[in-house]
Every structure is written in C-alpha cells, then in structure tokens.
Amino acid sequence: MKNILYVLPFAFLGLPAMAQDDAKLIEKAKKIHAKAFTLDTHADTPMRMVGKGFDISKDNTPASPTGMDSKIDFPRMKKGGLDGIFFAVYQGQGPRTPEANAKVQQMAMTILDSIHAQVGRYPGLAKVVTSPEEVPALEKAGKRSIFIGVENGYQIGNDITMLQKFYDRGVRYMTLCHSYNNDICDSSTDPKGAEYNGLSPFGEKVVAEMNRLGMIIDISHVSDSTVWDLIKRSKAPIVATHSDAWALCQHPRNLNDNLLKEIAKKGGVVQLNLLSSYIITAPANPERDAAVAEIRKKYTGTLSEEQTRAMRTEMRELNKKFPLPLATVKNAIDHLDHFVKIMGVDHVGIGGDLDGGGYLADCFDISQYENLTVEMVRRGYSEKDLRKIWSGNFFRVMKDVRKIGEKIRAEGALVVGN
Ligand SMILES: [Zn+2]
C-alpha cells in the first residue's frame, strides 16, 4: 500500500508528459518521412498487371471489387508517403528445358510490357524511371517513381543476350535465382542442396555481362556459396534487395555477419525485408510446411491468370487454417539495427517484399510505411541517417554500378558469348 501511494503521483504527472513527448516524436518522424525520398526496392506486384482486372490507380485492398488483393496501389503509396518502388518481374522456378526457357523468356517480356502499360496509363500519377537523377522532378510534382527489377535469372534461360533486352526495357537489377537452383547459381533454399557450390560457369558469364551493362546483381535468395563467389567475381558492388539478418533469425534466406561485412566492404547495400518468417522464428508447424510445399509444387513455372488467382486463394485459405504469428515493426527494425551495427548506416535500406509475402502486424500494406520511420526515429536515427536508409544508399550503389559498366564498356570489353 505504501508503495502504491508513493508511485501514483509520479505516474499521474509522468504520463501526459510522456504522451506529449511521443506525439512530438511522431510529428518529427512524419516530417522526415515526407521530406526524404522514400524507396522500396522490392515488390512482386507486376504479375497482377498481366491480363485484365488490375488497376494500380484504384483501391486494390482485399475487400476491393477487383479481387486483386494487392498491398500496393498509387492511392495507398501516397497515403504511406512512399515516393518510389522497384516492381519485380517475377516467375517461380520451373523446368530447365529449352521449351520451358522459351516460355518464361516470352512471359518475362509480357510482364515487362504490362508494367510499362499499367504505369503509362497514369502519366499524371507516376512514371517508369531508370536512374536516380530522374526522381527529384517527379517527387516535386507529387508523382511516384517506378523502377523495374527482375526476380529469378531463370527468366533469361540460357540466353545471355536477354540481359541487354531487359536492360533496354528499363530493368536495373536482377535477382540471380529464387527458391530453387537454376542455370546461373545455387539457391539458399533448394531442398536438393548445392549443384555448383556457388555460380555455374554460365553464371560467371552472367555476372560479367551484368557488370558490363551496369545492371545491379541482387543476391537475395542465393546460397551463401553463391554470395562468396559474387564477392570474388563481381567488379561492381552487390546488393540484397530484400533480405534479413541470420544473427536474429536462422532462416537459410538470411545473411550472416561475415557476408554482411563483405557486402559492405564491396560498397553494397542490404535492404530490410518485411516478410515475417525471415524476421522471427515461428514455432514448428510441419502440417503448415507440408501444405505450403504442396501449393508451391502445384504452381511452378509460368502461371496463367486463373492459376495465379487460384494460388492466391489457396494461400489465403492456408493462412486462415494455419495462422502464423506475425512479426511487428519493432521486430523488423531490430534487423535493421543489426545491419547498421555490422555494416554501418551507409549500407542499409528497405525492400519490403510486398505482394511476395512481406507484411507485418503493424505494417500491413504500403499505406503504413510511415510506421517504419517512426520506429527508426524512436531509436535515435537522425534525418541524415533516414535519408540514406530510405534511398540515398541504394541510389549511390545504382550510380556506382552504372559508372563501372561505363568504364568496362569504354575499355572495349566484348559481349560475352553463350
Ligand atoms: Zn523474393
């Protein structure tokens, strides 16, 4: 009783002051968020743009009549204060045969065309861009900057000239593989294990050609041995467009401290992924794992619009049947803090993996991105730090990789043949 009487007056005095401080902090964070150029380096929205039904200028929430169930659209980007985004041309790993390769190559071009067509419909709202120099004018005009990447090098098949075609259509990074090994390299999550212990001989040519073009090499999804090969072989900095820290969550997709240090030493960046199961370790659930594996097996390779819709419905049902505990913004920023501790504030950024499984309990879609800045301000990051994290670092790498490509081309390096 004595204790309570002693504590209470302070509690009453303290609370409003604390609430006031927090309100001030949130206001400060919102101002920084609005002023900085905010960039997300990885979203898997483009598959929805193929075919009819998706309109990026409209509400695409799960409850919307389009049934597209996307975490991204222009109105929500504006609400979340997100100025720029990399849309990924993504296709899952399928058979590595000439027929399948031809099909995925063709589909990749269709997805690319769909991005240009979708964004091109709204010149008053956004524009497809390829360089950091283009964004200030768009930011000033209140328009979104849309960059393009390719996720899964499977989409070039065995044809190295596809890289130039991608580049000419605006692609500025390529993630070398996805969940399984491909003709380029080993993946971190292929149940069959290593095929090359890193890059394949064809993969080495891909690296040389990407360096020559000035296309960024994305190491998200690749195996540790592939990253080590890239650290040795790439003439340009390498990036992880959507990855988290192994030290905090032991998922094979995550990056250990030794890799983080080398990526930073090479001038690269690692962009924080908001996908819950890379952030916190969920309790074992073999039933769920088996159900997920079943869906993955059922929907591999090039999917039709109907198949994609069916897959999304099945995933939603699965999530209802076997709900996972969701990570929070605090949990996610713990990973960012770790990156900063290991690599320094010049080597980190944000790549949310939205529409590819990325979302948090308190950052459910692109409209809630301000919450990330609030948490970073709470932890003491300055406005200068936040400008680097939100785009400055990634843009620096884009420019460096471009410059190295220009130099290689000026030295007269020939296109590597097949
Ligand atoms: Zn991914």
Side-chain angles (χ1 to χ4, degrees):
M1 199 61 201
K2 203 176 158 195
N3 277 345
I4 290 168
L5 281 175
Y6 183 74
V7 166
L8 271 178
F10 287 97
F12 281 129
L13 281 175
L15 263 179
M18 266 168 64
Q20 248 180 31
D21 283 352
D22 204 48
K24 263 192 211 157
L25 185 142
I26 291 171
E27 201 185 318
K28 182 185 162 194
K30 284 186 173 185
K31 269 192 195 149
I32 295 173
H33 193 80
K35 271 202 284 178
F37 186 90
T38 48
L39 173 76
D40 182 311
T41 55
H42 194 84
D44 284 308
T45 317
M47 209 35 157
R48 290 166 166 81
M49 299 175 190
V50 179
K52 295 182 190 80
F54 184 80
D55 185 338
I56 198 162
S57 77
K58 299 219 162 70
D59 172 15
N60 287 299
T61 51
S64 76
T66 64
M68 281 293 170
D69 190 5
S70 171
K71 297 201 174 293
I72 296 169
D73 47 51
F74 289 154
R76 275 183 290 169
M77 276 181 82
K78 195 167 183 181
K79 193 176 165 210
L82 197 80
D83 301 307
I85 199 159
F86 267 87
F87 280 144
V89 174
Y90 162 76
Q91 290 180 82
Q93 188 60 44
R96 288 145 65 180
T97 60
E99 300 75 36
N101 285 350
K103 214 170 151 192
V104 287
Q105 281 171 297
Q106 206 181 5
M107 188 56 175
M109 295 319 269
T110 304
I111 302 170
L112 264 168
D113 289 344
S114 305
I115 299 172
H116 284 283
Q118 182 73 227
V119 178
R121 274 164 74 186
Y122 303 105
L125 298 177
K127 193 179 170 208
V128 174
V129 292
T130 56
S131 69
E133 288 83 355
E134 292 168 86
V135 310
L138 291 169
E139 188 188 15
K140 216 172 146 197
K143 296 180 193 177
R144 313 293 127 196
S145 297
I146 310 298
F147 291 90
I148 305 176
V150 163
E151 181 174 32
N152 196 359
Y154 175 46
Q155 297 174 91
I156 68 168
N158 303 116
D159 180 3
I160 206 141
T161 65
M162 280 294 287
L163 289 166
Q164 178 82 59
K165 285 178 197 149
F166 281 164
Y167 189 89
D168 293 344
R169 293 293 281 146
V171 173
R172 286 299 176 270
Y173 75 68
M174 186 171 86
T175 320
L176 297 188
C177 69
H178 194 245
S179 304
Y180 303 93
N181 304 337
N182 61 17
D183 285 338
I184 297 172
C185 66
D186 289 335
S187 164
S188 60
T189 49
D190 194 318
K192 289 203 290 288
E195 193 171 324
Y196 322 99
N197 279 317
L199 288 166
S200 71
F202 175 64
E204 290 173 3
K205 288 180 184 168
V206 168
V207 170
E209 177 62 357
M210 288 177 77
N211 283 168
R212 190 191 73 86
L213 288 169
M215 190 187 281
I216 301 173
I217 295 168
D218 178 15
I219 58 143
S220 288
H221 290 286
V222 311
S223 70
D224 288 4
S225 54
T226 304
V227 185
W228 285 117
D229 272 0
L230 288 164
I231 286 163
K232 267 185 275 162
R233 284 203 161 259
S234 174
K235 292 197 172 82
I238 55 175
V239 309
T241 63
H242 57 303
S243 288
D244 292 324
W246 169 269
L248 302 191
C249 176
Q250 284 74 52
H251 190 290
R253 260 287 266 116
N254 286 347
L255 296 163
N256 67 47
D257 290 356
N258 288 334
L259 291 174
L260 294 176
K261 277 181 206 157
E262 294 300 321
I263 293 164
K265 234 194 259 173
K266 229 178 144 59
V269 289
V270 175
Q271 308 282 108
L272 178 77
N273 194 329
L274 305 181
L275 200 147
S276 204
S277 54
Y278 305 155
I279 296 171
I280 52 169
T281 307
N285 191 339
E287 253 186 308
R288 181 191 157 94
D289 294 346
V292 171
E294 205 51 50
I295 293 179
R296 277 208 183 143
K297 219 166 95 189
K298 196 165 151 192
Y299 300 100
T300 49
T302 311
L303 302 178
S304 69
E305 211 180 325
E306 291 74 43
Q307 284 173 314
T308 309
R309 272 175 200 269
M311 180 185 71
R312 262 181 235 137
T313 310
E314 282 186 41
M315 275 309 289
R316 262 199 308 274
E317 293 301 316
L318 180 139
N319 281 329
K320 263 188 239 159
K321 203 170 161 193
F322 307 105
L324 276 180
L326 268 184
T328 62
V329 167
K330 279 191 167 62
N331 298 142
I333 302 302
D334 286 347
H335 283 251
L336 187 118
D337 278 347
H338 184 78
F339 290 156
V340 172
K341 191 176 99 191
I342 302 296
M343 299 188 288
V345 78
D346 292 330
H347 300 279
V348 297
I350 313 281
D353 210 357
L354 268 56
D355 288 340
Y359 60 96
L360 305 168
D362 44 356
C363 187
F364 196 72
D365 65 17
I366 206 94
S367 72
Q368 296 180 315
Y369 264 33
E370 235 174 30
N371 296 349
L372 299 168
T373 300
V374 170
E375 183 59 25
M376 288 189 272
V377 171
R378 236 179 225 139
R379 295 192 189 196
Y381 288 95
S382 69
E383 178 171 349
K384 199 176 159 201
D385 294 336
L386 282 157
R387 282 179 184 274
K388 288 179 180 179
I389 293 168
W390 269 120
S391 62
N393 293 336
F394 198 86
F395 282 161
R396 179 197 72 232
V397 175
M398 277 189 90
K399 289 179 189 169
D400 287 350
V401 172
R402 187 177 65 197
K403 216 182 290 170
I404 289 164
E406 280 162 8
K407 197 168 161 259
I408 295 171
R409 294 198 302 277
E411 283 164 359
L414 296 169
V415 185
V416 196
N418 274 329

